[in-house]
């Protein structure tokens, strides 16, 4: 699979796509957490919003029976797909929401088979590098603004007698959060997010399919949606703390996460944060039983990045904001 050639994906970083996601999330995030101003042009794309760009370059007729595209699938008999986790590294300069071409180069970098015979799981890692063209419409490493590794897991189809929810051990978080936010994702939110991400996976859209084929009690919350909710909550909390302390807020540099248990539509989930030091956070989501559903870490960085990280040329319509003044060792503390 690692030799499989995946076509580059081209898209337009139109602000309307990001605004649509912002509107969809507005009722599910802490009040005042919206990071987009519709009156401002060329603002930075919020961390995680890249997920609503670059739809798969696959015709709908070639989609698999579960509604997923076949590009990353190992094929029969591993027909069930789940989002296992991943990591993202953001360049400090980010990407501006100004209509223009952006590109995603995608490759399968690792494939591992785990489990006993008959119960194997195939873990597939997909690397995505996102960039915008510089003057002359050339893509170079200087134009790269994000690198993401997605980890998918593929499993065998359930036998009819197996299509019932598996009882899982509840893993409790080791610490209490310094900040948390409770929300209840709706079926409408899942449908909207599926549309915005061009994700036709039936586990997010078809309750009967979830119950009868996949063995789940309700629609599953997308792995990427859980990620966006964590990142938006983290950035909101960090900004509020910085403003309270008279500091300049940092921006997200790196996030790594694992999906440990399903989250379901119409059920409570709690997004949790715990600050370890001025730059590093533990982030997680608890399900309605208080068990860990998603677990991750995040690292922040100063907004005024080193000059060496900036592209020497920017495409027309892009600009840098004035760097924030302030000492490099500015610290931000949270309250328990």
């Amino acid at each position: 699979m690692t030799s499989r050639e995946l076509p580059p994906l081209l898209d337009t970083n139109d602000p309307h796509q990001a605004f649509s996601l912002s509107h969809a999330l507005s009722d599910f995030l802490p009040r005042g957490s919206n990071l987009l101003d519709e009156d401002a042009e060329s603002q930075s794309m919020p961390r995680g919003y890249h997920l609503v760009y670059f739809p798969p370059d696959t015709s709908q007729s070639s989609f698999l029976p579960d509604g997923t595209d076949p590009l990353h699938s190992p094929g029969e008999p591993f027909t069930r797909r789940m989002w296992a986790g991943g990591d993202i590294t953001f360049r400090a300069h980010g990407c501006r929401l100004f209509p223009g071409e952006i590109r995603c180069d995608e490759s399968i970098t690792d494939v591992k088979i785990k489990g006993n015979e008959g119960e194997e799981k195939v873990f597939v890692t997909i690397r995505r590098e996102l960039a915008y063209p510089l003057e002359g419409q050339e893509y170079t490493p200087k134009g790269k603004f994000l690198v993401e590794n997605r980890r998918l897991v593929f499993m065998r189809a359930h036998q009819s007698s197996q299509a019932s929810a598996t009882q899982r051990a509840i893993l409790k978080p080791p610490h209490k959060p310094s900040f948390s936010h409770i929300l209840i994702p709706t079926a409408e939110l899942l449908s909207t997010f599926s549309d915005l991400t061009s994700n036709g996976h039936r586990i997010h859209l078809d309750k009967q399919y979830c119950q009868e084929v996949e063995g789940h009690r309700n629609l599953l919350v997308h792995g990427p949606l859980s990620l966006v909710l964590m990142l938006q909550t983290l950035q909101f909390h960090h900004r509020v703390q910085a403003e309270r302390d008279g500091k300049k807020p940092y921006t997200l540099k790196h996030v790594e996460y694992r999906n440990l248990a399903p989250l379901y539509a119409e059920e409570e989930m709690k997004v949790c944060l715990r600050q370890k030091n001025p730059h590093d956070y533990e982030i997680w989501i608890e399900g309605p039983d208080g068990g860990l559903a998603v677990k991750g870490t995040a690292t922040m960085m100063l907004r005024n990045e080193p000059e060496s990280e900036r592209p020497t040329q920017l495409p027309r319509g892009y600009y840098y904001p004035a760097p924030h003044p302030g000492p490099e060792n500015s610290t931000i503390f949270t309250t328990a």
Side-chain angles (χ1 to χ4, degrees):
M1 286 184 67
T2 54
S3 62
R4 184 180 297 176
E5 293 189 9
L6 303 178
L9 302 172
L10 300 178
D11 204 349
T12 301
N13 55 330
D14 192 322
H16 293 295
Q17 189 77 352
F19 291 142
S20 295
L21 177 58
S22 183
H23 289 153
L25 298 177
S26 60
D27 289 337
F28 302 92
L29 291 169
R31 187 181 299 274
S33 61
N34 194 331
L35 298 179
L36 285 176
D37 179 1
E38 294 194 35
D39 296 326
E41 281 195 345
S42 294
Q43 59 193 303
S44 290
M45 180 188 294
R47 302 311 206 201
Y49 274 45
H50 69 283
L51 292 163
V52 299
Y53 294 88
F54 303 107
D57 187 18
T58 310
S59 64
Q60 193 157 359
S61 62
S62 65
F63 280 11
L64 301 175
D66 65 353
T68 61
D69 72 77
L71 294 177
H72 311 127
S73 171
E76 295 281 354
F78 302 102
T79 55
R80 295 170 52 229
R81 189 187 84 172
M82 299 290 284
W83 192 289
D87 62 82
I88 308 173
T89 300
F90 302 91
R91 291 285 290 270
H93 57 74
C95 179
R96 296 291 160 190
L97 287 174
F98 188 93
E101 186 180 276
I102 49 178
R103 171 171 166 153
C104 172
D105 289 305
E106 192 176 57
S107 60
I108 297 174
T109 58
D110 188 58
V111 179
K112 286 186 171 67
I113 301 176
K114 299 181 181 181
N116 298 324
E117 185 176 355
E119 299 178 349
E120 304 96 329
K121 297 180 179 180
V122 182
F123 291 84
V124 179
T125 300
I126 301 104
R127 182 179 177 88
R128 295 185 130 210
E129 299 185 355
L130 277 56
Y132 48 70
L134 304 181
E135 295 292 347
Q137 300 300 304
E138 293 182 358
Y139 288 93
T140 72
K142 285 288 188 179
K144 190 186 302 180
F145 62 87
L146 182 152
V147 176
E148 176 182 15
N149 292 297
R150 299 180 173 185
R151 296 181 181 91
L152 307 179
V153 57
F154 294 85
M155 297 161 285
R156 294 175 182 270
H158 278 308
Q159 301 299 320
S160 57
S161 60
Q162 297 175 315
S164 58
T166 303
Q167 293 295 322
R168 294 178 172 84
I170 298 175
L171 180 63
K172 295 289 186 177
H175 306 287
K176 291 185 177 180
S178 54
F179 179 83
S180 64
H181 171 68
I182 295 174
L183 67 136
I184 299 177
T186 62
E188 291 76 17
L189 173 63
L190 270 58
S191 177
T192 300
F193 192 78
S194 289
D195 287 341
L196 289 171
T197 55
S198 301
N199 182 349
H201 200 177
R202 294 173 66 184
I203 61 172
H204 311 304
L205 301 168
D206 186 337
K207 184 175 180 179
Q208 183 177 359
Y209 174 86
C210 285
Q211 295 173 334
E212 296 180 1
V213 178
E214 296 281 355
H216 293 284
R217 60 179 176 265
N218 204 345
L219 301 174
L220 273 74
V221 177
H222 311 65
L225 177 55
S226 301
L227 175 62
V228 172
L229 291 168
M230 285 197 301
L231 297 188
Q232 290 291 282
T233 301
L234 169 61
Q235 291 173 103
F236 163 74
H237 175 67
H238 190 83
R239 188 182 72 220
V240 169
Q241 292 294 97
E243 291 173 354
R244 186 201 66 182
D245 297 339
K247 308 284 188 179
K248 294 297 182 181
Y250 290 9
T251 188
L252 187 63
K253 178 181 182 180
H254 181 78
V255 62
E256 187 167 350
Y257 65 100
R258 290 175 58 204
N259 295 318
L260 304 175
L263 291 163
Y264 294 103
E266 316 300 343
E267 294 186 12
E268 184 177 283
M269 56 189 279
K270 182 163 75 170
V271 181
C272 301
L273 316 172
R274 177 177 178 267
Q275 189 167 13
K276 298 167 62 180
N277 58 52
H279 300 90
D280 298 311
Y281 283 85
E282 293 177 345
I283 55 176
W284 69 92
I285 297 179
E286 298 175 12
D289 56 9
L292 281 171
V294 187
K295 179 183 179 181
T297 58
T299 301
M300 312 295 284
M301 63 179 165
L302 288 169
R303 288 182 182 272
N304 50 323
E305 76 284 0
E307 291 291 331
S308 60
E309 284 201 13
R310 298 183 175 188
T312 54
Q313 294 177 300
L314 290 171
R316 190 173 293 107
Y318 287 85
Y319 68 93
Y320 275 114
H324 290 298
E328 225 176 70
N329 60 350
S330 296
T331 57
I332 299 167
F333 299 95
T334 59
T335 55

